[in-house]
Amino acid sequence: MKRIIQETEDGSKTIFIEDLNETYHSKHGAVQEAFHVFINNGLKYFESDNDLIRIIEIGLGTGLNAFITLLEAEKLQKPIEYVGIEKYPVLDEEFQLINFFDDVFKFYPEFEDRKKEFIEFYHQLFYSQWSSWKTISPYFKIKKVEEDFFNIQKIGEQNFDLVYFDAFGSRVQPELWEKELLEIVDSVMNEKCIFTTYAAKGSIKRGLKDLSYNVNKFPGPPGKREMMVGFKNIDL
């Protein structure tokens, strides 16, 4: 599939899949979307919890969500283990053309003096060996897995507290937004967990409710009216 680097409205870049007419991130702003969906409506619910947080991402892509989560781990001094699943890894030459840093650090002015260090962390994250744990900082370690999402039970990781569901949209991959995959993802989650996604699709809401999640709609990132978060055995 042909992939093209495009600039989004907040100045950050994303990858456009020409064959699918689909981008890896929102055209309205890659960094804004990542921060809004996965930090403000996902990780923030664990801010008061000092225990280890285990996150699984469905659709690692460029590693942007993982990088922002690393910054949050450093900011909060909270240990995070992160597993990113990706069926079609981003190529080195594509990664070299994507520069999120100016836009990312707008959200983290307290890290201005550590920008070089964190940019190096992002490179370590992206170039870390597949299928092996890599400790990036005292608060963040990652395991990248090249695998079909329907096979995540085979990777040997479970007991996740939070899932970032960042698969391609249902227009191009409808099978990723149905109950079968939701059941597979839920099977590797803890009894108490959170599911967050940029989408507000009815099949996701129904599937999560069938799996005993309390599903809430929240305002979406720029360009989207709504998004959804599912809470399982968690009192808000």
Side-chain angles (χ1 to χ4, degrees):
M1 293 187 291
K2 186 177 181 181
R3 301 195 279 199
I4 301 168
I5 305 299
Q6 289 187 345
E7 187 171 293
T8 67
E9 289 181 8
D10 68 359
S12 55
K13 292 183 173 60
T14 189
I15 297 174
F16 173 68
I17 309 295
E18 191 173 57
D19 294 345
L20 300 178
N21 190 29
E22 184 80 351
T23 57
Y24 272 66
H25 310 97
S26 170
K27 66 181 181 180
H28 298 283
V31 173
Q32 291 183 74
E33 179 187 49
F35 195 87
H36 179 84
V37 175
F38 301 111
I39 304 303
N40 283 348
N41 287 286
L43 187 59
K44 80 167 187 181
Y45 293 104
F46 297 93
E47 286 183 357
S48 61
D49 187 345
N50 292 322
D51 294 334
L52 170 71
I53 304 300
R54 285 177 54 81
I55 299 173
I56 183 169
E57 180 177 13
I58 305 302
L60 178 67
T62 61
L64 174 60
N65 298 332
F67 178 53
I68 293 177
T69 302
L70 183 158
L71 293 173
E72 284 292 311
E74 290 289 317
K75 175 183 175 180
L76 301 171
Q77 297 190 344
K78 178 185 297 297
I80 292 177
E81 292 182 353
Y82 195 105
V83 174
I85 314 297
E86 180 56 58
K87 187 175 182 180
Y88 303 108
V90 171
L91 302 177
D92 290 358
E93 54 266 34
E94 294 167 337
F95 177 72
Q96 294 297 329
L97 294 173
I98 295 173
N99 185 345
F100 295 120
F101 302 118
D102 288 343
D103 300 287
V104 167
F105 286 111
K106 290 176 184 176
F107 291 92
Y108 298 96
E110 65 271 37
F111 289 150
E112 182 65 30
D113 294 339
R114 298 179 64 189
K115 285 177 69 173
K116 289 185 178 179
E117 177 187 8
F118 286 125
I119 290 171
E120 174 58 28
F121 282 168
Y122 192 16
H123 281 81
Q124 288 183 35
L125 183 159
F126 182 82
Y127 290 110
S128 61
Q129 184 177 346
W130 291 88
S131 301
S132 298
W133 281 103
K134 170 70 175 179
T135 299
I136 306 294
S137 80
Y139 298 104
F140 187 87
K141 63 188 297 187
I142 188 170
K143 182 178 183 180
K144 303 186 308 179
V145 181
E146 184 178 354
E147 185 57 86
D148 188 289
F149 300 149
F150 289 90
N151 295 331
I152 60 174
Q153 292 169 325
K154 299 179 180 179
I155 69 175
E157 299 289 345
Q158 54 186 354
N159 299 323
F160 293 102
D161 305 292
L162 174 61
V163 54
Y164 293 172
F165 199 86
D166 200 19
F168 281 143
S170 60
R171 179 183 60 81
V172 296
Q173 290 190 306
E175 71 278 8
L176 302 183
W177 299 89
E178 300 297 332
K179 190 176 178 181
E180 180 184 359
L181 181 56
L182 297 183
E183 288 178 328
I184 293 170
V185 173
D186 183 64
S187 72
V188 299
M189 304 301 290
N190 277 326
E191 289 186 4
K192 293 184 177 182
C193 60
I194 295 175
F195 179 111
T196 184
T197 183
Y198 64 87
K201 185 172 172 57
S203 62
I204 285 280
K205 183 177 182 179
R206 292 188 295 271
L208 290 176
K209 282 189 171 182
D210 287 347
L211 292 166
S212 300
Y213 286 80
N214 176 17
V215 182
N216 292 259
K217 287 187 177 181
F218 295 106
K224 286 192 66 68
R225 186 167 62 90
E226 293 178 323
M227 57 164 287
M228 283 193 301
V229 183
F231 302 89
K232 191 169 189 178
N233 299 319
I234 292 178
D235 295 325
L236 298 179

